[in-house]
Amino acid sequence: QELSQYIKACRNVSVPQQWIGSSIMLAFDSEEVPKRGDVRNLARVHIFDWGRSELNTPAVHDSLSPEEQKERHQYWGYYCTGVAFLLFDLVSLYVGRYWYKPEAVAFSLWDKDKVTNDDLIGVCTLPLIGRKQVLLEARPLKTATGSPAKAGGLLGLFRKETKLEVSVEPVKMRSDSRFETVWCASAHGTKNVPRMDALSPTDAFVEVATTSDSNSELEDIIRQDPQYLNHLRCTAHRTTVAVDEGAPVFNEGFEVGVLKKASRRELLDAMAGILGKDATEEQVMKLFPPSVKDLDGTGDRQVKFSELCFPLLQRPKN
């Protein structure tokens, strides 16, 4: 809500600013669990670090040369687009985790790399619908191409399936909870993790993400286009990294669920400040699709969102 109000304030600035290197901080107190109802008062948006910035006024702007005015438009475009991207990421995370009723949960095992992109070891999925008790399963992992993930053996022979121990448990909520339904999805131990690094064991971690796709649909989508895993990563919970562990054990759980109808009003009110009118759930669903199969694959959703935030902004060409 604070960030959407800040975007409204930026949108109302009469002349472009040149805020170079200034920062935005999302702050919250994590030292102790706050009292119920106090959480929203502990989150803050701060803008700071004005060392290379200037406060432009209409009088100053009119006195600038065309080249200097163009420069202000350019850097103001960079700044406003960055703020819009930040809000997009926050709303995407919130909607992706808590807006839609999840039907399946994906557990993906990764190898952490410092210099290059993380390497996918394998992924498994579990249905959430109908889960009424804790069920610990050692699930075989599949690579991005749909083939079984394997490790060990000699010269490619006698390799064993890589498995991840996972569980899903319904969580009983208080009657005044903002959530309709909640599960705890946990990653436990592993079996036969392949060595992904040449000089050391794998630096493994697990990402846990829910989706409104059914379990079978999710498996088909990942097999047909592994790039959809990137969409799941945007809203995933992540375990700690088990550094140089040949058989990593995590034993970490994450609560996943769906908000009650009444609890969605705050986000809709914040989005109304962006859209300039009352926001509806249908508009949110169009901007942030409930399923990976609903992504149209055209254009950049971040850019489209920034254009909604700043429809009159003169954007830089590069």
Side-chain angles (χ1 to χ4, degrees), residues 200-214:
S200 65
T202 297
D203 302 321
F205 65 94
V206 177
E207 290 186 344
V208 181
T210 57
T211 172
S212 61
D213 301 296
S214 69

Side-chain angles (χ1 to χ4, degrees), residues 295-309:
L295 297 175
D296 57 18
T298 58
D300 189 326
R301 291 191 299 137
Q302 275 190 326
V303 172
K304 293 179 180 179
F305 184 78
S306 72
E307 291 171 350
L308 289 175
C309 294

Side-chain angles (χ1 to χ4, degrees), residues 11-315:
R11 196 159 55 190
N12 292 330
V13 170
S14 58
V15 291
Q17 304 297 311
Q18 185 163 276
W19 294 349
I20 301 175
S22 59
S23 303
I24 298 178
M25 176 173 62
L26 307 180
F28 58 92
D29 189 352
S30 61
E31 184 173 344
E32 60 183 27
V33 178
K35 293 181 180 179
R36 193 173 186 85
D38 290 346
V39 178
R40 293 167 194 77
N41 299 323
L42 297 179
R44 292 287 185 271
V45 176
H46 291 282
I47 54 176
F48 64 101
D49 191 7
W50 306 100
R52 299 175 59 201
S53 302
E54 67 173 17
L55 180 61
N56 199 11
T57 65
V60 172
H61 191 71
D62 290 340
S63 68
L64 298 175
S65 67
E67 291 76 15
E68 291 173 324
Q69 291 184 0
K70 181 180 178 181
E71 186 179 68
R72 270 66 179 173
H73 280 292
Q74 178 184 23
Y75 282 99
W76 188 235
Y78 288 143
Y79 186 88
C80 292
T81 300
V83 176
F85 281 9
L86 177 59
L87 181 60
F88 175 90
D89 290 342
L90 292 177
V91 176
S92 181
L93 179 67
Y94 187 78
V95 170
R97 284 186 175 181
Y98 308 121
W99 200 264
Y100 305 110
K101 187 171 184 178
E103 292 199 19
V105 56
F107 297 86
S108 52
L109 182 65
W110 297 82
D111 171 49
K112 186 66 179 178
D113 289 322
K114 294 181 179 179
V115 179
T116 60
N117 293 333
D118 300 333
D119 298 316
L120 175 67
I121 298 173
V123 59
C124 67
T125 63
L126 278 178
L128 285 176
I129 303 302
R131 294 271 170 174
K132 297 182 179 180
Q133 60 183 3
V134 182
L135 184 60
L136 179 65
E137 299 182 45
R139 302 281 291 189
L141 300 183
K142 294 183 179 180
T143 66
T145 60
S147 59
K150 294 185 177 182
L154 179 64
L155 299 177
L157 301 176
F158 311 111
R159 293 167 63 82
K160 296 181 179 180
E161 277 192 328
T162 302
K163 294 185 178 182
L164 176 65
E165 295 175 341
V166 298
S167 65
V168 174
E169 175 185 7
V171 178
K172 188 175 181 180
M173 305 301 294
R174 291 169 40 144
S175 59
D176 60 346
S177 170
R178 300 177 70 241
F179 284 87
E180 177 183 310
T181 311
V182 174
W183 295 267
C184 181
S186 302
H188 302 281
T190 58
K191 297 180 180 179
N192 308 318
V193 176
R195 191 183 183 108
M196 306 297 289
D197 301 321
L199 301 178
S200 65
T202 297
D203 302 321
F205 65 94
V206 177
E207 290 186 344
V208 181
T210 57
T211 172
S212 61
D213 301 296
S214 69
N215 192 60
S216 59
E217 286 177 324
L218 181 59
E219 290 180 342
D220 290 340
I221 291 169
I222 294 174
R223 184 173 59 253
Q224 292 169 10
D225 190 348
Q227 291 301 317
Y228 280 126
L229 276 175
N230 293 328
H231 177 73
L232 292 177
R233 298 197 76 183
C234 292
T235 59
H237 299 270
R238 180 179 295 184
T239 68
T240 53
V241 178
V243 180
D244 291 342
E245 289 287 343
V249 176
F250 304 101
N251 289 331
E252 295 184 40
F254 304 96
E255 291 186 351
V256 298
V258 58
L259 288 165
K260 293 178 179 177
K261 275 285 192 189
S263 303
R264 304 180 183 188
R265 187 68 257 168
E266 291 177 341
L267 177 63
L268 293 175
D269 290 342
M271 293 298 294
I274 302 301
L275 300 173
K277 55 184 178 181
D278 289 341
T280 65
E281 290 201 28
E282 289 73 21
Q283 290 170 318
V284 172
M285 291 177 63
K286 186 176 180 180
L287 291 169
F288 305 95
S291 163
V292 292
K293 66 176 182 289
D294 292 331
L295 297 175
D296 57 18
T298 58
D300 189 326
R301 291 191 299 137
Q302 275 190 326
V303 172
K304 293 179 180 179
F305 184 78
S306 72
E307 291 171 350
L308 289 175
C309 294
F310 298 98
L312 302 179
L313 182 67
Q314 295 184 26
R315 288 174 171 76

